[in-house]
Amino acid sequence: MALQFAPPPMASLLPHKLRTSPLPGSDRSDRFLVGRGYRGFRCQSGPDGDEVKAHPVLGRDKARDPIFGLAMGAGSQSPTDIFRWFCVETGSAGNHSVILIHGFPSQAYSYRKVLPVLSKNYHAIAFDWLGFGFSDKPQPKYGFDYTLDEYVSSLESLIGELIVDEFSLVVQGYFAPVVAKYAQNHQEKLKNLILINPPLMESHSKLPPTLSLFSNFLLGEIFSQDPLRASDKALTSSGPYAMKEEDAMVYRRPYLTSGSSGFALNAISRSMKRDLKTYVDAMRKILASDTWKVRTTVCWGQRDRWLSYDGVEDFCKGLNHKLVEMPMAGHHVQEDYGEELGQIIAGIIAKS
């Protein structure tokens, strides 16, 4: 039987400021710190600190406008050697590591309420995928084409830079099949795989209209340049999440800063529309395989407006995968019930 997580009193859902202890030998308390070696953070709309470099650049030609052939801005250009990833790290590096992976479309910022909970007993890391948030966003066909296969190989490169010991993986939404593909070949390093509202069933193989719109010819390119449609509507249409203005500005900023975020959104939408079914089918086979040995948990926000819950319970029960139901959460569970999700993740890892 699936476990149910009862919603807490409304008082615990009120917004609050994140507060962390100062770093040893530093007065940089209450900061949103990026890169390895930092352990505290606050909510703000941009990176501050180091970035992690991972995944080699394949093409180095200067990106140009596909219509007029004009040189694109710096934000659309690939770096000369290795892509730069925006990463948040919190907690003691000596503890078990948990990597938190955001969905499509979103950012590491979505885990801002989960990270403080996990940092008490674990080493927690969140990052922005290439093309999202504050990571590199090269113009498609100039170093990175945003295919799902490339995302698998780039994830392998990044984790290779971040982690050397056993770790747990948490992934939300439409990037879950990409992470499952990676996990299949690295089971010896994985202690837990926690999937949050993944596209698990065959009926989940199509993007919802809100996201598939970005894959349309011309129309998708136009809408992907609209910060309100590309960030606000893409997040709030998936469930009960009511975005506060201070949070909305974090999600909007990449689209307000450069058109490269819109080009990346357009490219990954096309890849998802083309290859999602193949990847969902592959994930189902991976999780059902006799060779799959990783402890697997599915957390499901039952107010998901994009993915139906039909069949999820039977799938998990038939394969003996743990299922945690969250009746009041939507597709982006970490946005709706971040602290509670952090507690669930911590409990799952502790029991294993």
Side-chain angles (χ1 to χ4, degrees):
M1 179 179 293
L3 301 179
Q4 285 202 348
F5 187 85
M10 288 302 295
S12 67
L13 303 181
L14 296 177
H16 64 282
K17 294 288 185 180
L18 295 175
R19 290 289 183 263
T20 60
S21 300
L23 297 174
S26 170
D27 60 357
R28 301 180 71 183
S29 61
D30 194 30
R31 299 294 301 275
F32 187 72
L33 299 168
V34 183
R36 305 179 68 182
Y38 295 123
R39 294 183 294 166
F41 67 96
R42 71 177 172 88
C43 301
Q44 73 173 40
S45 57
D48 174 26
D50 297 331
E51 293 170 321
V52 174
K53 290 188 175 183
H55 195 60
V57 178
L58 299 179
R60 297 183 183 177
D61 294 336
K62 289 293 184 180
R64 296 184 177 276
D65 180 272
I67 298 177
F68 301 104
L70 301 175
M72 301 292 290
S76 295
Q77 303 294 345
S78 298
T80 57
D81 52 359
I82 300 175
F83 289 109
R84 295 162 298 181
W85 302 65
F86 175 89
C87 294
V88 178
E89 182 176 19
T90 183
S92 172
N95 292 335
H96 178 74
S97 295
V98 186
I99 299 180
L100 304 165
I101 303 178
H102 70 78
F104 169 61
S106 189
Q107 299 177 22
Y109 184 74
S110 66
Y111 287 108
R112 63 194 176 277
K113 299 176 185 176
V114 179
L115 285 164
V117 178
L118 294 179
S119 67
K120 296 175 182 177
N121 297 302
Y122 301 103
H123 175 222
I125 301 172
F127 65 84
D128 289 340
W129 285 108
L130 294 178
F132 293 92
F134 303 99
S135 291
D136 277 344
K137 307 172 191 67
Q139 177 77 352
K141 299 183 179 180
Y142 291 90
F144 195 78
D145 290 339
Y146 301 96
T147 66
L148 300 192
D149 287 346
E150 283 178 308
Y151 273 116
V152 174
S153 59
S154 67
L155 177 62
E156 184 170 24
S157 297
L158 178 64
I159 293 179
E161 291 292 326
L162 295 175
I163 302 293
V164 295
D165 299 319
E166 187 181 54
F167 62 96
S168 295
L169 271 177
V170 179
V171 57
Q172 184 268 329
Y174 287 98
F175 272 116
V178 169
V179 174
K181 195 94 166 182
Y182 161 84
Q184 180 185 28
N185 299 322
H186 297 276
Q187 295 188 53
E188 74 286 351
K189 297 179 65 176
L190 280 177
K191 188 174 183 179
N192 291 275
L193 176 65
I194 301 174
L195 307 172
I196 306 170
N197 284 57
L200 196 58
M201 311 307 297
E202 293 181 7
S203 60
H204 298 163
S205 297
K206 288 186 178 181
L207 289 176
T210 307
L211 299 183
S212 63
L213 176 68
F214 298 119
S215 66
N216 292 345
F217 179 66
L218 291 182
L219 189 63
E221 293 171 331
I222 294 172
F223 285 144
S224 64
Q225 297 295 330
D226 179 358
L228 297 181
R229 188 179 290 271
S231 60
D232 295 35
K233 187 173 182 179
L235 287 169
T236 57
S237 66
S238 64
Y241 178 51
M243 187 181 297
K244 293 185 286 292
E245 184 64 19
E246 63 188 69
D247 297 327
M249 284 306 300
V250 179
Y251 287 111
R252 293 171 192 159
R253 182 174 175 180
Y255 297 95
L256 293 169
T257 304
S258 170
S260 59
S261 294
F263 288 125
L265 177 62
N266 182 246
I268 182 56
S269 298
R270 291 178 178 176
S271 293
M272 283 280 184
K273 187 174 183 179
R274 181 183 64 245
D275 298 330
L276 183 60
K277 184 180 187 307
T278 299
Y279 265 71
V280 169
D281 290 344
M283 180 172 68
R284 288 170 56 83
K285 291 178 181 177
I286 291 170
L287 298 181
S289 173
D290 292 337
T291 61
W292 180 251
K293 305 300 181 183
V294 178
R295 178 185 171 96
T296 303
T297 303
V298 175
C299 294
W300 198 274
Q302 293 181 292
R303 296 178 67 183
D304 191 332
R305 296 172 186 165
W306 286 351
L307 299 177
S308 169
Y309 185 60
D310 293 344
V312 172
E313 184 174 5
D314 290 340
F315 180 84
C316 293
K317 184 177 181 180
L319 297 174
N320 201 29
H321 296 322
K322 184 178 180 181
L323 175 63
V324 179
E325 298 173 345
M326 302 184 72
M328 301 305 292
H331 182 73
H332 295 276
V333 177
Q334 67 270 40
E335 292 284 5
D336 297 320
Y337 288 91
E339 294 176 355
E340 292 70 25
L341 178 62
Q343 293 167 7
I344 290 172
I345 294 171
I348 291 170
I349 297 173
K351 289 180 180 179
S352 65

